[in-house]
Amino acid sequence: MTNRAFIIGISGLVLSEAEREFIRAERPWGFILFKRNIETPAQVSALVAELRATLGDEDAPVLIDQEGGRVQRLGPPHWPVYPPGASFAALYDIDPNLGLTAARLSSRLIAADLADLGITVDCLPLADVPVAGADAVIGNRAYGTEPGKVAAIARAVTDGLERGGVLPVLKHIPGHGRATADSHFRLPTVDTAKDELERTDFVAFQPLADLPMAMTAHVVFSALDGAHPATTSATIVDQVIRGRIGFQGLLMSDDVSMNALAGSIAERTRAIVSAGCDMVLHCNGNLDEMRAVAAETPELAGMALARAEAALAARKPPQPLDRQAARAELDALLDRVGTA
């Protein structure tokens, strides 16, 4: 049976019977976990296994946002703390090799944590390039303010995840760094000229266009489409994400339930699909909203299906890792900038 083109979060630590019935009936492509779904390693592993068993697909992707810093769904006491992206940028300024090594080590260790739990996808790396005066929603999550540096560190993060058998999701394409609002709460508008966006924001994503998956930005770029954020803009998906940047992998929306998007959940879902996104992401665990998403989401077919299959096929078996040695090396590097 074919999956539908959406990813869901669930409400708690275990599946409810209503959620089980929904998953069996509507067949989402995958799942995403949040702190509300996480208690202990044994509980998370059991939840991941139950999600796949309920769907009847042992390879169904399970996603998480595990960046380090402020965005870390797994944390103490059961999982270690990881540094924010700005730590790698600071090390890079001392010596580029140090910054890239630390980024690679951190994401490799994160991948090992995720693999233990059966989580196969991390919503990482970021290629957002923040500017002065932008909202702090990106802030120290970013890998710097120069596109080449951001792209290099993002590639190192990607390498670490892939070596650990975890698929990356590039975000927030085509760039959230200039946004002056947090798109969780309201819609940001960027009025920067097209040539400047191409020279800075978009160019950071170009060296990463080969990644298997990417997540859109709920941001209006008025020089390109003043009426729609990138997530629901056919112009930006076609001309910028697929065209200028050259990304040909699986394109998923950022969370359809975020307040940056206008209209009902059904209307938002239709707009996301119409714009050319392959996958709709719904995160908050509200079952009524999930039903609305499912009702407006097509079965995976055509290029969307091909991209989804290619993304999952890109996952490699994890390489050996000495966790203790890797963590010691990472901590020693972080000590150079006082961020351990």
Side-chain angles (χ1 to χ4, degrees):
M1 189 180 295
T2 306
N3 295 87
R4 304 188 81 83
F6 70 105
I7 297 165
I8 59 166
I10 63 162
S11 60
L13 299 174
V14 297
L15 277 173
S16 69
E17 186 54 41
E19 287 169 334
R20 290 189 194 94
E21 291 175 1
F22 173 82
I23 290 166
R24 292 186 188 113
E26 302 297 345
R27 297 193 58 78
W29 184 67
F31 308 94
I32 185 165
L33 302 184
F34 290 87
K35 284 188 176 180
R36 66 178 182 268
N37 309 125
I38 291 161
E39 187 175 63
T40 66
Q43 171 268 322
V44 177
S45 295
L47 176 58
V48 168
E50 186 180 14
L51 288 168
R52 291 191 173 117
T54 302
L55 185 59
D57 182 357
E58 63 183 14
D59 296 318
V62 177
L63 293 70
I64 197 167
D65 289 288
Q66 187 74 353
E67 298 177 11
R70 289 182 284 127
V71 180
Q72 184 168 328
R73 313 305 187 200
L74 305 171
H78 299 292
W79 297 275
V81 171
Y82 290 98
S87 299
F88 312 136
L91 275 167
Y92 189 98
D93 290 341
I94 296 170
D95 180 334
N97 286 330
L98 296 181
L100 298 179
T101 297
R104 193 175 296 111
L105 282 168
S106 182
S107 60
R108 178 64 186 88
L109 285 161
I110 286 172
D113 294 343
L114 302 186
D116 285 347
L117 303 169
I119 299 170
T120 50
V121 183
D122 194 3
C123 298
L124 196 65
L126 287 74
D128 304 304
V129 182
V131 298
D135 188 89
V137 65
I138 298 299
N140 71 352
R141 298 164 65 191
Y143 307 137
T145 57
E146 191 280 310
K149 173 181 171 181
V150 168
I153 295 174
R155 176 62 70 181
V157 169
T158 298
D159 290 345
L161 292 176
E162 290 179 337
R163 291 179 189 185
V166 170
L167 290 169
V169 177
L170 177 63
K171 60 188 188 185
H172 305 83
I173 198 168
H176 208 299
R178 292 182 185 272
T180 54
D182 183 342
S183 55
H184 290 86
F185 306 111
R186 62 187 180 93
L187 179 62
T189 296
V190 170
D191 293 322
T192 305
K194 178 182 176 183
D195 59 350
E196 177 68 8
L197 291 169
E198 291 176 345
R199 188 183 67 81
T200 54
D201 304 57
F202 302 165
V203 76
F205 288 88
Q206 286 176 322
L208 304 159
D210 62 318
L211 266 61
M213 291 180 276
M215 180 187 294
T216 60
H218 293 337
V219 176
V220 169
F221 297 92
S222 61
L224 296 156
D225 184 343
H228 306 95
T231 301
T232 60
S233 170
T235 298
I236 291 177
V237 170
D238 181 55
Q239 296 182 13
V240 179
I241 296 175
R242 300 296 191 193
R244 182 76 182 189
I245 291 171
F247 175 75
Q248 298 304 319
L250 179 76
L251 185 65
M252 68 180 70
S253 72
D254 204 344
D255 181 10
V256 66
S257 67
M258 287 164 63
N259 288 334
L261 300 183
S264 67
I265 293 294
E267 289 167 337
R268 298 175 191 186
T269 302
R270 287 196 295 271
I272 288 167
V273 173
S274 296
C277 289
D278 301 309
M279 193 72 58
V280 179
L281 178 66
H282 183 271
C283 295
N284 67 20
N286 181 306
L287 190 54
D288 287 338
E289 290 188 4
M290 284 190 256
R291 291 190 176 106
V293 170
E296 301 297 336
T297 305
E299 289 188 349
L300 274 170
M303 284 303 300
L305 176 59
R307 290 172 181 140
E309 291 176 342
L312 295 186
R315 184 167 163 255
K316 303 177 181 71
Q319 298 177 11
L321 175 70
D322 183 331
R323 290 197 205 196
Q324 186 173 358
R327 185 71 209 206
E329 184 180 359
L330 175 62
D331 289 343
L333 289 169
L334 295 174
D335 282 342
R336 300 282 295 268
V337 290
T339 54

